[in-house]
Amino acid sequence: MTSPADAHDADAQRAFDDLIANERRIEPRDWMPEAYRKTLIRQISQHAHSEIIGMQPEGNWITRAPSLKRKAILIAKVQDEAGHGLYLYSAAQTLGITRDEMTDQLIDGRARYSSIFNYPTPTWADMGAIGWLVDGAAICNQVPLCRASYGPYARAMVRICKEESFHQRQGFEILLALMQGSPEQRVMAQDAVDRWYWPSLAMFGPPDDQSPNSAQSMAWKIKRFSNDELRRRFVGMLVPQAEALGVTLPDPDLRYDADQGVTAMGEIDWDDFFAVLRGDGPCNAERIQRRRTAHEEGAWVREAAAAYAAKQAAPRTEAA
Ligand code: BYC
């Protein structure tokens, strides 16, 4: 016999399935399957952590930017990334996880963040390559997320994508200035592109046949395209831009046809990608240590803010 609770769950599941099938949004108060909630918490918190850890490789250059104007632009960009992290943590909180839990998962090393932020930034040209390639990959991956089925995530992505598109242009412009500069500057720009090209392709995640989450996430309309499909589109976008810059994409097997897009490309070093995911990338330990230290050093700010909020919330007495 079906219990009233089972009947309620079956009705709720049907209502959820209808919303997804009709391209409507799931909102925080709507019933949702537990696995959908968990998948979203996983993806959105990983995404938030990536924005926050992603401030480090570029923060490294704020004090050394080559001019006041470049410094001001870089500060604004890194600040935007903090903002993206905050929108995304807020979106994840609507699913029932707290900010403290997410922070603990990150600084304990239990949470993932994007592989791309575990590589070093030894030269100024890295700021250009990150903007052009890393933010470019982010846009390609994230524009479809503006149509994700979970309302708070999709809405956060709209603003994030607008800002990412400015970031990508500032990266392109840094590389363009270097490519129009001295022979040493051109070498520095090409070297940065050589180092960031393959890791930026790996940002899209493992190949489709090794992506355990894709099928379900696509059925729930969280993801709209597969990892390989987005990667291919990204490379197709890069080819004419690389030509305009005068840099070479470091893939001798890349074949591009303006009408058909990318027809062939070389193999990504997946061993390197999985090593980075295991925590064995060049900067994993440094990034987490830095985040942990910043969290500890910020304890007094959180305490002061909490004390102030409690004071504001307390009823005011006549005597006071
Ligand atoms: N790095 O089944 P799959 C930014 C993990 S921030 C690390 O395909 P899914 C920016 C994956 O989590 C860029 N881990 O997974 C910021 C899964 O492990 P778990 C961040 C990765 O979720 C500052 C396993 O591999 N963007 O743009 O269907 C400055 C199997 O993968 C990676 C986002 O987070 C990776 N690259 O698809 C500048 C976008 N790839 O969790 C720029 C939102 C895969 O099962 N996220 N893994 O243990 C997504 O779109 C998807 O989560 C992914 C992965 C495409 C990344």
Side-chain angles (χ1 to χ4, degrees):
M1 206 178 82
T2 316
S3 72
D6 287 345
H8 171 269
D9 279 1
D11 285 349
Q13 176 78 52
R14 253 193 307 278
F16 171 87
D17 292 343
D18 282 351
L19 286 172
I20 299 279
N22 292 313
E23 297 288 331
R24 304 268 300 281
R25 293 265 162 82
I26 309 297
E27 295 297 340
R29 291 203 182 99
D30 291 336
W31 182 91
M32 60 188 85
E34 210 34 47
Y36 177 81
R37 183 188 301 277
K38 279 201 180 126
T39 292
L40 281 166
I41 291 178
R42 176 182 66 79
Q43 177 163 331
I44 302 173
S45 65
Q46 284 176 4
H47 195 163
H49 297 326
S50 307
E51 298 282 357
I52 298 300
I53 296 284
M55 295 165 74
Q56 292 186 31
E58 291 169 294
N60 178 33
W61 276 92
I62 288 176
T63 55
R64 293 178 291 153
S67 69
L68 183 60
K69 189 172 146 199
R70 293 287 184 202
K71 188 193 286 259
I73 295 170
L74 189 60
I75 290 174
K77 179 182 192 259
V78 173
Q79 202 169 311
D80 283 351
E81 281 148 15
H84 298 173
L86 296 184
Y87 314 148
L88 290 164
Y89 282 130
S90 300
Q93 280 174 274
T94 65
L95 292 155
I97 186 165
T98 66
R99 176 88 174 269
D100 283 345
E101 284 173 281
M102 289 184 276
T103 305
D104 285 347
Q105 288 171 359
L106 177 62
I107 62 181
D108 290 353
R110 282 177 286 141
R112 290 197 193 287
Y113 58 88
S114 182
S115 50
I116 195 74
F117 301 116
N118 293 302
Y119 297 91
T121 46
T123 73
W124 170 251
D126 290 315
M127 300 303 96
I130 290 184
W132 180 46
L133 295 171
V134 176
D135 290 281
I139 294 170
C140 231
N141 166 267
Q142 293 171 17
V143 166
L145 292 174
C146 298
R147 293 192 293 120
S149 56
Y150 187 57
Y153 190 30
R155 287 188 288 273
M157 291 318 303
V158 172
R159 179 158 173 186
I160 292 177
C161 284
K162 287 186 180 155
E163 293 177 352
E164 296 290 13
S165 131
F166 156 73
H167 295 171
Q168 200 239 1
R169 283 169 212 195
Q170 70 84 42
F172 183 90
E173 200 270 332
I174 290 175
L175 288 179
L176 189 62
L178 291 172
M179 290 305 290
Q180 290 172 346
S182 65
E184 290 81 2
Q185 286 173 315
R186 283 196 289 279
V187 168
M188 184 166 78
Q190 181 64 54
D191 170 64
V193 170
D194 290 347
R195 284 182 290 106
W196 289 94
Y197 177 75
W198 291 107
S200 75
L201 298 196
M203 279 173 76
F204 294 91
D208 291 350
D209 58 3
Q210 294 174 52
S211 165
N213 301 298
S214 278
Q216 183 60 74
S217 286
M218 286 171 74
W220 279 326
K221 298 185 180 165
I222 298 171
K223 282 169 91 161
R224 296 286 179 157
F225 300 99
S226 77
N227 299 353
D228 286 333
E229 166 68 20
L230 289 173
R231 192 168 7 248
R232 194 166 285 278
R233 283 185 185 200
F234 174 56
V235 176
M237 258 174 49
L238 289 181
V239 172
Q241 294 178 9
E243 219 173 279
L245 280 172
V247 295
T248 306
L249 297 176
D251 179 359
D253 298 324
L254 180 60
R255 300 282 172 274
Y256 175 74
D257 174 308
D259 295 325
Q260 292 180 41
V262 173
T263 55
M265 53 197 270
E267 189 57 25
I268 292 170
D269 182 351
W270 291 113
D271 290 344
D272 176 66
F273 172 77
F274 287 115
V276 170
L277 258 58
R278 281 196 308 273
D280 295 333
C283 300
N284 292 63
E286 178 189 330
R287 300 285 186 245
I288 291 295
Q289 183 53 48
R290 178 109 180 255
R291 184 70 198 89
R292 192 179 296 129
T293 306
H295 185 68
E296 284 163 10
E297 288 176 351
W300 70 271
V301 179
R302 293 190 296 280
E303 279 160 26
Y308 180 75
K311 200 167 154 190
Q312 293 295 305
R316 291 190 182 187
T317 62
E318 281 302 313

